[in-house]
Amino acid sequence: MTELTLTVNDEQQTIDVDPSKPLVDVLRDDLGLTGTKKGCSTGVCGACTVRIDDEPRKACMHIAGMVDGKSIETIETLSDGDDLHPVQEAFLEEFSLQCGFCTPGFIMSAVALLEENPDPTDEEIETALHGNTCRCTGYDMIFEGVKRAANEMNNESAAQPADD
Ligand code: FES
Ligand code: FES
């Protein structure tokens, strides 16, 4: 066991863990953050996507020792009770889910995309979510959810009063 210090959803955590334990298991088993899902465990499905130092990353492909000192964000950080992130709202409105199990990973990738590129093209959305699209095919409603979130976030920021 090794003592590691991580910032998880803006809170510093010091944990004693096997440094070879996959991050997805650390989040779920040691920190109780079960919103991050474990699907394939081999980096294929994207269900375990979290953000590591702001970048969307697959938590099954990072071991605990690799994330010592890093900042991790999970799906739990996006909402405050019933107050959802605009991407979560848009996914609900567009019914942007298929199996549902992989949805948190899609949302984490979509949030990272829209922070970096608030007005993505269809192709940019597909590229950004490439790590989340597995063998299930379809995904149109998921892409529609991302487009709706982009529109709503852009409308919201246009409605904000400009800084002096
Ligand atoms: S569980 Fe990590 S990519 Fe599938
Ligand atoms: S794993 Fe959820 S739709 Fe493919």
Side-chain angles (χ1 to χ4, degrees):
M1 301 292 259
T2 304
E3 190 176 274
L4 303 178
T5 303
L6 325 172
T7 302
V8 182
N9 298 337
D10 292 327
E11 238 177 73
Q12 200 173 72
Q13 305 267 2
T14 300
I15 46 172
D16 257 330
V17 282
D18 172 352
S20 66
K21 188 169 182 174
L23 175 61
V24 63
D25 293 331
V26 173
L27 293 171
R28 292 178 56 83
D29 304 343
D30 297 271
L31 299 175
L33 295 168
T34 54
T36 301
K37 303 302 180 197
K38 185 173 168 180
C40 63
S41 295
T42 55
V44 176
C45 72
C48 64
T49 303
V50 296
R51 293 175 78 183
I52 301 176
D53 287 347
D54 283 339
E55 297 297 327
R57 296 284 181 250
K58 292 173 177 172
C60 68
M61 299 304 286
H62 289 71
I63 54 171
M66 291 166 72
V67 296
D68 189 25
K70 296 197 183 283
S71 170
I72 318 289
E73 281 174 67
T74 70
I75 188 86
E76 284 86 352
T77 199
L78 297 183
S79 57
D80 182 9
D82 289 340
D83 191 9
L84 301 181
H85 187 282
V87 172
Q88 293 174 306
E89 292 278 7
F91 269 50
L92 275 177
E93 294 293 331
E94 294 291 336
F95 204 68
S96 301
L97 56 89
Q98 295 190 161
C99 72
F101 189 77
C102 57
T103 308
F106 272 104
I107 289 176
M108 293 308 286
S109 293
V111 169
L113 166 68
L114 297 182
E115 278 180 19
E116 192 175 306
N117 177 3
D119 195 16
T121 62
D122 290 1
E123 202 182 347
E124 286 168 338
I125 292 171
E126 283 187 36
T127 301
L129 300 188
H130 183 70
N132 301 87
T133 51
C134 60
R135 66 189 180 287
C136 305
T137 76
Y139 303 114
D140 287 349
M141 291 190 299
I142 294 172
F143 298 145
E144 287 307 313
V146 179
K147 285 190 243 175
R148 183 183 186 116
N151 284 337
E152 294 194 353
M153 289 165 78
N154 288 332
N155 290 343
E156 245 172 55
S157 59
Q160 302 274 326
D163 288 341
D164 289 336

